[in-house]
Structures are given as structure tokens and as C-alpha cells.
Amino acid sequence: MSPRPPDPAVRAALIETAARIVATEGRAALTLRRLAGEVGTSTMAVYTHFGSMEELRREVRREGFARLRARLAAVRDSKDPMADLTLLGAAYYLSATASPNLYRAMFLDGPVDDGDLGTGLDTFMYLVKAIGRCLEAGRFPEAGGTDPAELALEVWGMTHGFVSLQLANLLPADQAAEHLSSGVRSLFVAWGDDPAKTGASAARARRRLAELSPG
Amino acid sequence: MSPRPPDPAVRAALIETAARIVATEGRAALTLRRLAGEVGTSTMAVYTHFGSMEELRREVRREGFARLRARLAAVRDSKDPMADLTLLGAAYYLSATASPNLYRAMFLDGPVDDGDLGTGLDTFMYLVKAIGRCLEAGRFPEAGGTDPAELALEVWGMTHGFVSLQLANLLPADQAAEHLSSGVRSLFVAWGDDPAKTGASAARARRRLAELSPG
DNA sequence: GGACAATCCATAGCAACGTTATGGCATACT
DNA sequence: AGTATGCCATAACGTTGCTATGGATTGTCC
């Protein structure tokens, strides 16, 4: 009754190879025939495993989110939640700029569907939790009863903005990084953080940069 | 000696039709044969006028920047430079979200080249000048001797960030608009603007929304 | 253990894509 | 008027994603 099962190794190889091609050469470089050729299978394998090229691209995005999540998870909670927060921002920025084409595929290439939204949202939670801990520590007196998710959205919007400008060649990397950090610092100031503490946390974050996964 | 000159009407029709297709149906809807068909010419006309499909897409981006510039130019200087600034931000946001596919083509679809950078930069100048007038009016005491372009970059980065998140379906329109305005307000607070004045300027800007071009 | 049935994947063909070659015909200068 | 120059219409080429067909392989049942 039961027929031949699909080979999980073929499926994994397709995703991994596709992610590599997209990450190194961009979306346009990923073609059906080339993918099948590099994996050493036939074009039909893509259709039995994913149904369409678009569905495979979605799996590539999932892979991208998984890698981003791993980077963020490498940032451990410390006694200075704002240093943790700064380090999360750095991990996000470095992930995006180290694999610009993958970031483009995840966030820029087109409207994401609901499936992506779910897998992307849990990476956002790392940011929300860090900000929540900053609030508990009393670092943002001016943002008293605010939902941490609201504040996290401000930080994410600004981060995504500068990353996008850099990836679009509208800003050189050094300017993007500098204005991003000064912009986020402005948010902290507006939320009432003590400037001396802000500086101390930033210094502590800088000392912990080695925690971040390589790349 | 001199041969038949290229018809400027054909060229204009190609650009206008291409911009309409991209704006209404997105980048993927613009194909060579369809464009030639709708304009009522042959596929070769595209190559005599633009040389390649990619060069025509660049003209579409130029057209998009021209439209954005017209929107920004419709905001006249008033005695309240921060109201002007807020209105410029609204004009930018409304332009982008009213023609999301055109904004995508201009800023999101791929790395822009140097030609785009030049045409895009002069729209940025509207923002720089408004912030310069805010500085002259003493609205940002904490940002004393800072270059207006630096501050404008912060505002632009945040604006572009939330616009991009909305266009990517990562944020619903109402949340994007709300967090964008509250984020920009945070920047003003961090730069030392008097909260009462900030509110008054925002109210004045709201009353002037009709100045903006329709759409 | 052998027949069966289901289905994965290899081969071949389709429409549509951007681009290039070819050629007729209109146009501006001698 | 004649001519040469180059715009634009027609046709073909290679590559794209996708579908139709068919052979090979594997799990199940008697």
C-alpha cells in the first residue's frame, strides 16, 4: 500500500544549497535547473518536495530566520539588561550585513506571508524580553507603564531602517552603523535613561562583543 | 546624412506606461512584450530608447523620485519649522504607502546605483533644510552644533524603517504610522525640544495636512 | 517470499521571458 | 532628387518555471 517515501536527505540538500546560493549570489542566482544540477538531482525533485519554486524560497527564508535566531540566542542574559539589549542589536545588525542577500530575501524581497510572520516573530521576542528587563530595572522612567513590545518595535523599526538603507547602497556601512547606534541611544535618552548609565552599558556591551557568533 | 530621429512620444509613453504597471501591479508585472503591447509599439522600441529592460526600470525609478519630489515640494515653509518637518515626514510616508510598489522599486528591490543616488539625494535635501531651520530656531538645544544632515539621517532612517516594515506586511498600517510618529517624537525629545512646543507643532502640522498633494 | 501498488524522481516538452539578428521604410542632409 | 542613416516591426535563440509522461524503487499484504 505504502509507496516510496521521499528522501529527507534530498530535501535537506535542496534547502541548504538554495540558501547558500541565495546568500552568496542573491535571489536571481537561484534557478531551478542550477539548483537541481548542484544537488545532483532532477528538477522534479523540487516539485515533489516543495510543490513550487516559491515554496522553496519560503524554506530558504525559514532557514534564514533559524540562523538569525541562533545568533540572538547566543547573547546571554547578564546583570546589565541594557548591555544585553545593545548586544542583541549588534547581533541583528551583524547578521544582516554579513549575509545581505539572505536578509533581503527575508525582509525586503516582497511582502511576507503569514507563515513567515510566525517564524519571524519569535526572533522579535528576544528584543521584547531584553527591554522588559530594562523596564523592570527602572532604566526607562519616562516610559513607565509602556508595553515592552511597543518600545521594542521602536528599536526594531530604526534598526531595520538603517540596515535597509545600507543594503540598498544608500548609506555606506560605517555611516549606517554609526547613525544606528546614535539613533537607538536617542531613544534611550527619550525614555529617560540616565546618560551616565547609558554610556556604562554601552561600554560593557562593547567588551562582550566576543559573545556573538562568528561572522 | 542624418537619419530618422527617435520619437520622444514613444519614449515618454514607454516610461509612463511602465511606471503605471509597476505602481499598480508590482515589479514582476512589467514584462517587455506586455509593455510594447500596451504602448502599441514593438519590443525593439525599448531597446532603441533604453538599451535594456534594466535601464528602463531605472527610468521608472527616476519617475518615482520625480513624483516624490513634487509631493515634498508641495510643503511650503511656514513660521513653525517643526510643523514643516512633520508635514514633510507625512508627505513621505503617504507617498510611499499610496504607491507601495513604486516605493519598493525605488528603495527596496535591489542595490541602487550611483545614478539613482544622485536623483534620490535631492529629495533628502528637503528634510535637511527643514531640520536646519529647526536648529536655527533653537528647537534642539541638546543637538547644538550638529550637522543638520546628521539629524535628518536619523529621521529618514526611522521613517524608511517603518515604511519598509509596513510594505513587507510585518506591521499593519495603523501600527506603522503610530510607531513612526512616536519614534520621531522620541528623537525630538532626545534632541532637547520642549515637549509643549513639540505638541503644539504637531497640532499645527495636523491642521495643515490638506497642503499635501492628493493621494 | 513474491505480487502489487503507490510515488519519487529522470527525461522531454511547453509557454513566456529578455535579448539579438535581420530587414523595410521613413527621414534629414547633400 | 537621391542617398544614407537609424527607428522600429518580425522572427528566432537560449533560459526561465512548470507539467506530462514513464521507469525505478520501496513498503505492504497475502
Side-chain angles (χ1 to χ4, degrees):
Chain A
M1 218 75 117
S2 254
R4 179 179 181 187
D7 188 346
V10 170
R11 179 189 164 92
L14 284 172
I15 294 179
E16 189 182 1
T17 303
R20 177 177 53 76
I21 293 176
V22 169
T24 57
E25 300 178 47
R27 171 191 175 91
L30 180 63
T31 70
L32 176 63
R33 284 168 178 77
R34 172 175 173 190
L35 175 62
E38 291 204 11
V39 170
T41 181
S42 164
T43 61
M44 277 305 296
V46 170
Y47 287 86
T48 60
H49 283 283
F50 304 102
S52 75
M53 210 56 186
E54 192 44 53
E55 203 64 25
L56 179 132
R57 288 184 191 277
R58 157 187 264 191
E59 292 300 321
V60 170
R61 289 195 293 270
R62 284 178 56 97
E63 172 70 19
F65 281 116
R67 294 184 191 179
L68 174 59
R69 185 165 35 246
R71 299 289 193 90
L72 299 180
V75 177
R76 322 293 310 185
D77 286 359
S78 79
K79 294 199 175 152
D80 183 345
M82 185 170 308
D84 301 347
L85 176 57
T86 303
L87 231 53
L88 282 176
Y92 185 97
Y93 174 82
L94 291 174
S95 287
T97 53
S99 300
N101 288 316
L102 201 52
Y103 188 87
R104 253 191 282 270
M106 293 158 63
F107 290 113
L108 263 30
D109 272 350
V112 305
D113 45 43
D114 295 351
D116 289 332
L117 212 148
T119 61
L121 224 78
D122 72 338
T123 66
F124 179 60
M125 284 308 157
Y126 285 91
L127 198 56
V128 175
K129 280 183 191 149
I131 291 203
R133 288 171 53 241
C134 289
L135 281 169
E136 289 171 12
R139 291 296 288 262
F140 301 143
E142 300 289 331
T146 317
D147 182 355
E150 305 280 318
L151 302 183
L153 210 43
E154 306 281 342
V155 173
W156 185 35
M158 178 148 242
T159 306
H160 174 73
F162 279 105
V163 167
S164 302
L165 289 182
Q166 174 175 340
L167 296 195
N169 271 356
L170 288 161
L171 272 185
D174 53 348
Q175 279 193 42
E178 188 175 339
H179 284 89
L180 170 56
S181 79
S182 100
V184 172
R185 207 160 37 233
S186 288
L187 290 180
F188 295 161
V189 169
W191 296 341
D193 193 46
D194 179 345
K197 288 190 183 175
T198 309
S201 292
R204 233 163 302 181
R206 225 170 295 125
R207 248 175 280 127
R208 285 170 59 197
L209 272 178
E211 280 183 29
L212 272 39
S213 307
Chain B
M1 216 75 121
S2 253
R4 180 179 181 185
D7 188 347
V10 170
R11 179 190 164 92
L14 284 171
I15 294 179
E16 190 180 13
T17 304
R20 177 177 53 76
I21 293 176
V22 169
T24 56
E25 301 177 48
R27 173 189 173 91
L30 180 63
T31 71
L32 175 64
R33 283 166 179 78
R34 173 174 172 188
L35 175 65
E38 293 205 12
V39 171
T41 182
S42 164
T43 60
M44 275 307 295
V46 170
Y47 286 86
T48 60
H49 283 283
F50 305 102
S52 77
M53 209 56 186
E54 192 43 55
E55 203 64 25
L56 179 133
R57 288 184 190 278
R58 155 186 268 196
E59 290 302 320
V60 169
R61 290 195 293 271
R62 283 178 57 97
E63 171 69 19
F65 280 117
R67 295 183 190 180
L68 174 59
R69 184 166 36 245
R71 300 291 192 91
L72 298 180
V75 176
R76 320 294 311 186
D77 286 0
S78 79
K79 294 200 175 153
D80 184 344
M82 188 174 302
D84 302 347
L85 175 58
T86 304
L87 232 53
L88 281 176
Y92 186 97
Y93 174 82
L94 292 174
S95 287
T97 55
S99 301
N101 287 316
L102 200 52
Y103 189 86
R104 252 192 282 271
M106 292 158 62
F107 290 113
L108 264 28
D109 272 349
V112 306
D113 44 44
D114 295 350
D116 289 333
L117 212 148
T119 62
L121 225 80
D122 72 338
T123 67
F124 179 60
M125 283 308 157
Y126 286 91
L127 197 57
V128 174
K129 281 182 192 152
I131 290 202
R133 288 172 52 241
C134 289
L135 281 169
E136 290 170 12
R139 291 295 290 261
F140 302 144
E142 299 289 333
T146 317
D147 182 355
E150 305 282 317
L151 303 183
L153 210 44
E154 306 281 342
V155 173
W156 185 36
M158 179 149 242
T159 306
H160 175 72
F162 280 104
V163 167
S164 301
L165 290 181
Q166 172 175 340
L167 295 195
N169 271 357
L170 288 161
L171 272 185
D174 54 348
Q175 279 193 43
E178 189 174 341
H179 283 89
L180 170 55
S181 77
S182 98
V184 173
R185 208 160 33 236
S186 289
L187 290 182
F188 295 161
V189 170
W191 296 340
D193 192 45
D194 178 346
K197 289 188 183 177
T198 309
S201 292
R204 232 162 302 182
R206 227 171 292 124
R207 249 175 280 129
R208 286 170 56 197
L209 272 178
E211 280 183 30
L212 272 41
S213 305

